[in-house]
Amino acid sequence: MAVYRKRDNRRLPDDRTVTQGRTRSVGLLAVGHAGVDIYQGAVPAVVPFLVLERQYGYVAVSGIVLAATLLSSVVQPVFGALTDRVRMPWLIPVSMVTAGLGVALCGVGDSYVLTWLAVALSGLGVAAYHPEAARLARAASGGNHLAMSWFSLGGNIGFALAPIVVTPILAAGGLPASPWLIIPALLGGLVTTAVLRSLIAGSAATGGAKADRGRDDWPVFIRLTGIVIARSIVYIGLSAFVALWVQQRVGGGETAGAAALFVLFAGGAAGTVLGGKLATVWGRIRALRLSYAASIPAVAGVVYAPGVSVYVFVALAAILLYIPFSLHVTLGQDYLPNRVGTASGVTLGLAVSVGGVATPVLGAIAEATSLQTALTTLLVFPVIAWLLGRTLHEPAALEVAAAR
């Protein structure tokens, strides 16, 4: 039975009951986050089937991938600005279904234009989801760093699960089976709708009061955005080429490359949760600075370590690059307390997309010189992130309402 305290002549739940409710809400939001981010990883998983069944070339495939990544990333800050002006919790389940619908339709018919539009629709759904979901996750967690790391972990898990979900379905039924891929979106939408009702009810119970949010600090937020961009370039660059690189270093063919990708994704998931724990102990800025400083030798190890020891450095690099991942989001929200949606859209969207845009440049360097030379250029970016991190300061503690 819940224990209640009397406050201002009202019966309010005690701290333990509130904590349990927040944990449940953030957990359900993390499940929903996994449900939508499956579709970020689904597009690359669909690409081999587009090549096999429709004979798409590199240019055509690049256009499909860009339809998802660029549109999603550019539009996310726009949705962030909208959610700062108007509360749109309904947008979360609607955007999840939209993301799933786009991928579900990408295998229907043979038209390249319709396939491109379907993938763009999925990217639009992903873009609409993240700013509002990150804002509600912040409200549900009460600003707790560890809770936000669990929310971020949900997205990482969804991305990693995409090949496991997509490949068996399309391998069994080909591209015409793509409509089955909408199922994760429908399930995630149902889960998210349940938690939205709880959050709206909690807001009504507390009268929907708003806290004094303080002043937006745009100069610091811009430096934080630079950090996110630098991190994105090095991590996405590694994810694009680490499989090929490990095959060259240790042999073993595709199995060795797949193992390297698994280590990279698993390390990222571990680093996300670890980041929340370290922020609780050390503070966000110290955790961010130390992780980027340590990532410099870790990335160097990926490039230069001999033999199977490369796997160790892949794991270390992934963990260290993901420790600040959820901290970027909460720091951005605290630097722009009056524009939480905008901050979420930038830290989860526009800034992150640069890694994908920079990857073809790495490929060009690799073709002109060598893959090792291309990967060596990535070493500059954790240095940049560490230097910019030294210019940040911990925002003042802000009171977060149950829902804004």
Side-chain angles (χ1 to χ4, degrees), residues 37-38 41 154-165 265-266 269:
D37 274 9
I38 280 180
N156 297 337
I157 291 174
F159 190 90
L161 285 176
I164 299 174
V165 173
F265 292 147

Side-chain angles (χ1 to χ4, degrees), residues 37 149 152-153 155-157 159-160 231-232 234-236 239 263-276 278 287 291-292 295 315-328 352:
D37 274 9
S149 72
S152 299
L153 176 64
N156 297 337
I157 291 174
F159 190 90
R231 178 216 168 267
S232 174
V234 65
Y235 183 80
I236 295 181
S239 65
V263 170
L264 188 73
F265 292 147
T272 300
V273 176
L274 182 60
L278 292 179
S291 64
Y292 281 125
S295 71
L316 287 174
I319 291 171
L320 292 166
L321 289 171
Y322 258 98
I323 283 175
F325 185 75
S326 64
L327 309 184
H328 294 155
V352 177

Side-chain angles (χ1 to χ4, degrees), residues 191-213:
V191 170
T192 303
T193 299
V195 71
L196 288 179
R197 290 175 179 172
S198 174
L199 289 174
I200 292 171
S203 177
T206 57
K210 294 184 179 180
D212 181 9
R213 297 177 180 178

Side-chain angles (χ1 to χ4, degrees), residues 5 29 31 47 50 92 98 100 142 210-212 263 281-282 296 316 336-337 351 374 377 384:
R5 293 177 295 168
L29 286 172
V31 172
V47 162
L50 293 173
I92 296 178
T98 302
K210 294 184 179 180
D212 181 9
V263 170
V281 177
W282 291 345
I296 299 170
L316 287 174
L336 300 183
T377 64
I384 292 173

